[in-house]
Amino acid sequence: THAYDQAKDGYQTVLAIHKDQPDALYSLAYLANQDGQTDQARSLLFQLTQAHVDHADGWHLLGRLAERQNHIPEAIAAYQKAIASQSDHIPAHYDLGALYQFDKQPLKAIEHFDAITRLDPQQAEAQLSLGVLLAGNDQLDEAEQAYLKALEIKPQLVEAHYNLGSFYEFQRKDTTRALTYYQEYLKLGGKDLRIQRLITQVAP
């Protein structure tokens, strides 16, 4: 009912009876985070994960807070613990994969985005990220499959049309197929000036 103050009072009442009750600790930390009370949220999450070392959501939220404060090693460790506690925790795989991608560790990033696509093959954005990483690692056939799967799931995914156009233009040297995806990219609202010029140059 969005009565957050009453919810907090209820969770605090629970904790007065059972100081390490996991649902109450996590919910209070979540609400504190929503209110921008990062230090309070972190304190509650430390209490939670010390008392319940396998609380995957607690570790994941702790990782998100650490990442927001640019404490990257701490964030990576927390995401790893979330996955160790719950191997099918998709948000932790996603966040850890994105950190490894940003940190230029493509093989580790591929591992986590591949895990997401195996856990849920309908994750279009994960398929797209996997395609980018595989293409950068010269695994071109696998990258092409991932890009095409992303579009199969979400045909209006602008970034997938852009990446497939670039893939066919630069990796496959297939300008005709590249133009097909670039044209769709522009139809969907893409604004890349180079592609706009390219399409204009080849227009009949």
Side-chain angles (χ1 to χ4, degrees):
T1 61
H2 306 292
Y4 297 124
D5 288 340
Q6 289 174 270
K8 290 177 184 178
D9 289 342
Y11 294 134
Q12 287 165 346
T13 299
V14 172
L15 292 175
I17 301 167
H18 181 358
K19 68 182 181 69
D20 292 328
Q21 206 284 332
D23 293 335
L25 283 171
Y26 179 79
S27 297
L28 271 178
Y30 180 88
L31 291 172
N33 177 49
Q34 293 291 95
D35 288 342
Q37 298 172 329
T38 303
D39 289 343
Q40 182 183 355
R42 281 170 58 85
S43 178
L44 289 163
L45 289 168
F46 281 132
Q47 181 181 343
L48 169 62
T49 53
Q50 286 173 2
H52 305 279
V53 294
D54 292 331
H55 199 288
D57 287 339
W59 284 116
H60 177 243
L61 184 53
L62 196 56
R64 295 294 298 271
L65 295 178
E67 185 176 352
R68 185 190 305 162
Q69 295 181 315
N70 206 34
H71 299 158
I72 302 306
E74 181 184 332
I76 288 174
Y79 293 146
Q80 288 173 334
K81 287 178 180 178
I83 293 167
S85 301
Q86 183 182 329
S87 61
D88 62 350
H89 198 291
I90 287 177
H93 279 292
Y94 208 108
D95 288 333
L96 186 52
L99 270 186
Y100 282 137
Q101 184 175 11
F102 179 78
D103 199 39
K104 295 181 171 46
Q105 298 187 61
L107 294 180
K108 290 183 177 180
I110 287 170
E111 176 187 343
H112 290 284
F113 283 110
D114 183 58
I116 296 167
T117 62
R118 285 185 282 105
L119 290 166
D120 182 2
Q122 299 305 305
Q123 290 265 352
E125 286 77 8
Q127 295 281 3
L128 178 60
S129 294
L130 182 60
V132 171
L133 289 160
L134 290 167
N137 201 45
D138 291 326
Q139 295 173 254
L140 300 187
D141 290 343
E142 295 90 340
E144 184 175 14
Q145 292 171 12
Y147 284 142
L148 292 172
K149 183 64 176 178
L151 276 184
E152 177 187 325
I153 299 164
K154 192 178 287 189
Q156 306 300 309
L157 190 58
V158 177
E159 295 87 349
H161 287 283
Y162 177 87
N163 281 318
L164 263 172
S166 297
F167 176 81
Y168 286 120
E169 181 181 5
F170 297 109
Q171 267 90 22
R172 294 297 198 199
K173 311 300 181 185
D174 187 339
T175 305
T176 301
R177 293 190 75 179
L179 290 172
T180 299
Y181 290 100
Y182 283 152
Q183 287 168 340
E184 192 62 27
Y185 162 77
L186 294 178
K187 286 179 187 177
L188 291 169
K191 303 294 185 184
D192 189 289
L193 293 177
R194 186 191 74 84
I195 293 173
Q196 291 177 4
R197 289 194 295 270
L198 180 62
I199 295 296
T200 301
Q201 290 167 4
V202 301

